[in-house]
Amino acid sequence: MTQDEQPAVGRPDRPRLTKDRILDEAVRLVERDGPRALSMRKLGERLGVTGMSLYRHISNREALMDALVDRIVDAMLERPDVRPRDDDDWRGFLTRLAHGVRQIALEQPSLFPLVATHPPSAPWLRPPLRSLRWVEAFLAGLLNRGFGDEGAVAAYRAFSSFLLGHLLLEVSARGVTTGPVDEPAPAAQAPSEVRATLDGHPALERLQPQLAEDHAESEFQASLTSLLDRLEHFNAIPQERAT
Amino acid sequence: MTQDEQPAVGRPDRPRLTKDRILDEAVRLVERDGPRALSMRKLGERLGVTGMSLYRHISNREALMDALVDRIVDAMLERPDVRPRDDDDWRGFLTRLAHGVRQIALEQPSLFPLVATHPPSAPWLRPPLRSLRWVEAFLAGLLNRGFGDEGAVAAYRAFSSFLLGHLLLEVSARGVTTGPVDEPAPAAQAPSEVRATLDGHPALERLQPQLAEDHAESEFQASLTSLLDRLEHFNAIPQERAT
DNA sequence: ACCTGAACACCGTTCAAGT
DNA sequence: ACCTGAACACCGTTCAAGT
């Protein structure tokens, strides 16, 4: 389908510009150089073409960003980490999903902030599971495992907030840039500089070493468990008694 | 202190450029026109000066953004909504803080995303309570109310994730732009357009009306209560038995 | 001491022109 | 049909020059 690239007329050198090729290259560019590096001109150049040529295939930079985020999000669906197993109960389903998304986020530290902060096309599409296909998979996964309608919808909202709050902080703390398109690296402020301004803050000064410790993984797990316990109440209503 | 503006030498027309005045105007500009509108040149113009003049007072745009976010965050500290009362126990303290920050975020929908996503100066400073003064106030507030060291630190982390996950989603769903500096408005996709692509998604099609409902307030409260219940365990250790 | 103009290297985007 | 060059309106930033 998207396989054989036959040179349109008689141009055997480069494989012909296509929305797919543009987006693939855009993903690579952001992965390599961060979101700030993604300009129409630079993207064109990497495709062996001038920036203006892109406008034949994509209406403007904004549409490019939208399509780029969609592509990243839908690519997450194909990852085995997040694919539910038939013998997962609903807790297993959500646990696998949570850790899978976290894994992906940590592997793609410059893509995830984009997914997390780029404005969705509808207000009820909540990052990071922000595509129609994702919402469908999420809802169906819970409905098939005993959840009622309201429970599944409430779970989608709570789960989104949970993922966003934890992963956006963890990924950006790990370095790289958080700002979707602008903003540079955190610049790893010189420790002495922080020390200097720590003076009038006794609690902070005493606890700074503990604050700097990284317990992201275990905190993620603890918070997830707590969330699942809470969702149990939503699930209790429709599911008279299982089996 | 920052009151009387005496015209330096003999220029009675405009009040002399100052880092404070620059930042105040920057806040106003972002509030009015969104983060995208904040350029050095436009900011200068609004101050009756060319963009280049700003470099006398601020080293570059990045430093401007850092200082701008610091100013917004520290201004939050002065708000009565978040100021703890002496008779608040730790749950009251955190509850007031949570609802206060939410209130502020909703009132300043173009400032909050900046606070939430701009890279902090240290990885252990977690948006939105991302200044030294805020962390000090948070930790001291809990330590004074029976928390131990580890409990207070763990609470800071969990509370940050909670606020970020809920408020970033709620504020950006309310409209405006989420992207810190780039990204335009969500454009409120035409309902028919969503409907069209809803076909292959039965669960989504059936639940779309419920997904579009807004229960942000009650969900925020429910999630907060659950968080507080969880923090209770951290607090149990040091606080043998209170009065 | 403080601000400006000109300049440079970048942007996004349009459109007539080339092949 | 597809890409390019020139052009326009914007950027951030530097630096010699003005007052």
Side-chain angles (χ1 to χ4, degrees):
Chain A
M1 263 263 194
T2 175
Q3 200 80 318
D4 52 338
E5 313 250 340
Q6 49 196 35
V9 210
R11 290 272 155 286
D13 36 10
R14 58 170 186 259
R16 208 167 149 282
L17 213 50
T18 242
K19 189 166 178 183
D20 265 7
R21 285 192 61 234
I22 293 176
L23 290 175
D24 281 346
E25 194 57 43
V27 170
R28 272 197 289 274
L29 209 167
V30 173
E31 260 176 339
R32 272 179 43 85
D33 302 345
R36 298 199 59 187
L38 182 60
S39 76
M40 301 296 277
R41 296 174 122 117
K42 231 177 294 187
L43 180 55
E45 194 183 0
R46 264 177 152 266
L47 289 159
V49 114
T50 130
M52 303 84 197
S53 325
L54 304 179
Y55 289 89
R56 188 69 39 175
H57 303 89
I58 281 171
S59 55
N60 53 32
R61 201 191 118 96
E62 200 39 49
L64 171 67
M65 295 299 299
D66 289 347
L68 177 61
V69 170
D70 279 353
R71 161 155 306 215
I72 298 168
V73 169
D74 277 340
M76 287 172 51
L77 264 174
E78 313 306 327
R79 294 264 313 219
D81 322 52
V82 298
R83 183 155 273 135
R85 302 190 185 166
D86 288 343
D87 59 331
D88 277 338
D89 64 355
W90 69 267
R91 290 186 79 109
F93 170 68
L94 291 183
T95 302
R96 189 183 310 284
L97 186 52
H99 283 105
V101 172
R102 175 167 180 265
Q103 192 57 41
I104 297 172
L106 292 176
E107 284 172 16
Q108 309 181 330
S110 38
L111 297 187
F112 187 80
L114 226 51
V115 170
T117 64
H118 186 80
S121 51
W124 47 272
L125 286 176
R126 299 163 65 101
L129 309 182
R130 48 181 295 168
S131 70
L132 297 181
R133 289 175 66 204
W134 260 113
V135 180
E136 176 67 22
F138 185 96
L139 294 176
L142 286 186
L143 293 174
N144 286 337
R145 289 171 175 83
F147 266 64
D149 286 358
E150 302 97 29
V153 169
Y156 172 68
R157 297 217 191 90
F159 198 71
S160 306
S161 296
F162 160 76
L163 286 181
L164 191 68
H166 281 268
L167 298 184
L168 192 54
L169 277 177
E170 183 175 0
V171 167
S172 64
R174 280 276 219 280
V176 202
T177 167
T178 285
V181 170
D182 227 309
E183 322 281 325
Q189 187 171 30
S192 58
E193 190 133 0
V194 179
R195 285 246 160 262
T197 48
L198 232 54
D199 267 358
H201 309 91
L204 195 46
E205 189 168 17
R206 186 159 55 85
L207 298 182
Q208 199 274 339
Q210 302 185 49
L211 277 166
E213 289 171 15
D214 177 16
H215 301 309
E217 159 103 48
S218 66
E219 282 162 8
F220 183 82
Q221 177 57 56
S223 184
L224 172 61
T225 300
S226 164
L227 172 66
L228 295 180
D229 290 348
R230 186 152 68 92
L231 294 183
E232 197 109 40
H233 301 170
F234 298 146
N235 192 24
I237 302 156
Q239 187 192 23
E240 282 298 324
R241 33 181 161 154
T243 325
Chain B
M1 261 267 193
T2 175
Q3 201 79 316
D4 51 339
E5 312 249 340
Q6 50 196 33
V9 209
R11 288 274 157 288
D13 38 9
R14 60 168 185 259
R16 209 168 149 280
L17 213 50
T18 239
K19 188 166 179 183
D20 266 7
R21 284 192 60 236
I22 295 176
L23 290 175
D24 281 346
E25 194 58 42
V27 170
R28 270 195 290 274
L29 209 167
V30 173
E31 259 176 339
R32 272 178 43 84
D33 301 345
R36 300 199 59 187
L38 182 60
S39 76
M40 301 297 278
R41 295 174 123 119
K42 231 178 295 190
L43 180 55
E45 193 183 359
R46 265 179 152 263
L47 289 159
V49 113
T50 132
M52 303 83 196
S53 324
L54 303 179
Y55 289 88
R56 188 71 38 178
H57 304 89
I58 281 171
S59 55
N60 53 32
R61 202 189 117 98
E62 200 39 48
L64 170 67
M65 295 298 299
D66 289 347
L68 176 61
V69 170
D70 279 353
R71 161 154 309 213
I72 298 168
V73 169
D74 278 339
M76 287 172 52
L77 264 172
E78 313 305 326
R79 295 264 313 220
D81 323 50
V82 299
R83 183 154 275 134
R85 303 191 183 162
D86 288 345
D87 59 331
D88 277 338
D89 64 355
W90 70 266
R91 291 186 78 110
F93 170 69
L94 291 183
T95 302
R96 188 182 310 285
L97 186 52
H99 284 106
V101 172
R102 176 166 180 267
Q103 191 57 41
I104 296 172
L106 291 176
E107 284 173 16
Q108 309 180 330
S110 39
L111 297 186
F112 187 79
L114 228 51
V115 170
T117 63
H118 187 81
S121 51
W124 47 271
L125 286 175
R126 299 162 65 102
L129 309 181
R130 50 181 296 168
S131 70
L132 297 181
R133 288 175 66 206
W134 261 113
V135 180
E136 176 68 21
F138 185 96
L139 294 176
L142 285 186
L143 294 174
N144 287 337
R145 290 171 174 83
F147 266 64
D149 286 358
E150 302 98 28
V153 170
Y156 171 68
R157 297 217 191 91
F159 198 72
S160 306
S161 296
F162 160 75
L163 286 180
L164 191 68
H166 282 268
L167 297 184
L168 192 54
L169 276 177
E170 184 175 0
V171 168
S172 63
R174 279 274 219 282
V176 203
T177 167
T178 285
V181 170
D182 228 310
E183 322 281 323
Q189 186 171 30
S192 59
E193 189 132 3
V194 178
R195 285 247 161 259
T197 48
L198 232 55
D199 268 357
H201 309 92
L204 195 44
E205 189 169 17
R206 186 159 54 87
L207 298 182
Q208 200 273 338
Q210 301 186 50
L211 277 166
E213 289 171 14
D214 177 15
H215 301 309
E217 159 103 48
S218 66
E219 282 162 7
F220 183 82
Q221 177 58 57
S223 184
L224 172 60
T225 300
S226 164
L227 172 66
L228 296 181
D229 290 347
R230 187 153 66 93
L231 294 182
E232 196 111 37
H233 301 169
F234 298 147
N235 191 25
I237 303 157
Q239 187 191 23
E240 282 298 324
R241 34 182 162 153
T243 327

